[in-house]
Amino acid sequence: MSDNHGRVINFGAGPSALPLSVLEEAQKGLLNFSGTGIGIAEVSHRSKEFTAFVDQVEKNIRTLLDVPPTHRILLTQGGGTAQFSVVVLNLLARHRLLHPTATPEETTLDYVVTGSWSKKAAEEARRLTAGHATVRTVVDARVYSKDGQSFDNVPPHAEFRFSARPALVHYCENETVDGVEFAHDAQSPAAFPFDRLLETAGAGGGALVPLVADYSSSFLCRPIPRLADHAVIYAGAQKNLGPAGLAILIVREDCIVDVDAAARLGAPPVPLILSYKQLADHGSLYNTPSVFAIYVAGLVLERMKASGGLLYYEAVNKRKAQKLYAVIHEGEQKGLFRRKVQQGSESWMNVVFEVLGEGSENKFLEGAEQEGMKGLKGHRSVGGIRVSLYNAITEPEVDKLIAFMTHFMKESSSKSEVNAV
Ligand SMILES: Cc1ncc(COP(=O)(O)O)c(C=O)c1O
């Protein structure tokens, strides 16, 4: 049995847990990558061993997610925040090439706002496009929340108002901070309204709607619904895939455009390092990439393949989330816990709830830490508890947390009974 090196269970939201077997393998790679005699942090990104490794990373992502040949897989630097800007610049260029005379009012960018990250993405788009384009809010989920100000739901489909010919439509599949996620069951009212979007924004070619998804915190936790209907999917690696510093892009061919030609027509200039075309033309190796992060991600992908692929992860992740929500529900019945997100819109990856009663949250966090479980404090803007259940968190680890929560409920209930006497 392998030694766990004194590691605790890390339920943190990101950077987050990685599989122990991968970390152990990475230790070896740090000393000698792929038989080169050179460690992975020292090896040239142009070496044949590393370029072959990058090819395999792309192939594995393609296989695991069943990415069609219409889409390229690109590896780049920066996390989700960088991609908020990158996607705006590239798709504004695409729009300018398609509609060279469009006015700023006719150049619309649609943002679906269901949580803190999509809100931030929309704010960045507004900042970048001032004078060039109009950023619209398709829907703001806070309007449909229980208290009128929180992100706790996916709004009803009838409330989504898409533009007719947008330069992009952006949504965040899983809101890491708020714990709100689009349902993957196409029949669910909390699924993304793909058909509604294609009907409205598809005027002029349904297949070419520039739909963009931030998959940073749910990438590779299960298959992506309607992947082929997306123009761009981006994800920072540091949740399910590897260390921070790497972002994965899945980009439809028609969105890989000549940004300089677009700039000549009046689109904002795009730094070459941020151009999808530049990345694609150089096989993701235009400049020095985040070599180590790619290496660890590659090891994670190999492990995923060997474990049975995304259907395996989907089944395990579903069980993990369901059993955790069940115990929170039990706590709700007892007046001890309160879930933050409305039923149907809850995330599989980030489970957010409150522990009721003065000082109870700290008691919960301290108790969990004593049992070797860390990273459970909610995001500072939301408070409460957040349990991140990324792929590297095993089912027995979730069971351990559930056992702790059950014990915590029992203790809290018996104390309140004593106080009531
Ligand atoms: C959904 C989502 N989008 C974007 C980001 C920003 O990522 P980064 O901090 O890597 O820029 C995060 C970070 O947690 C995220 O969870």
Side-chain angles (χ1 to χ4, degrees), residues 13 78-82 84 117 172 174-176 214-217 234 236 238-239:
T81 312
F84 294 166
W117 286 113
C172 177
N174 179 58
E175 287 284 359
T176 325
D214 176 358
Y215 257 88
S216 290
S217 50
Y234 64 83
Q238 69 268 25
K239 320 286 187 188

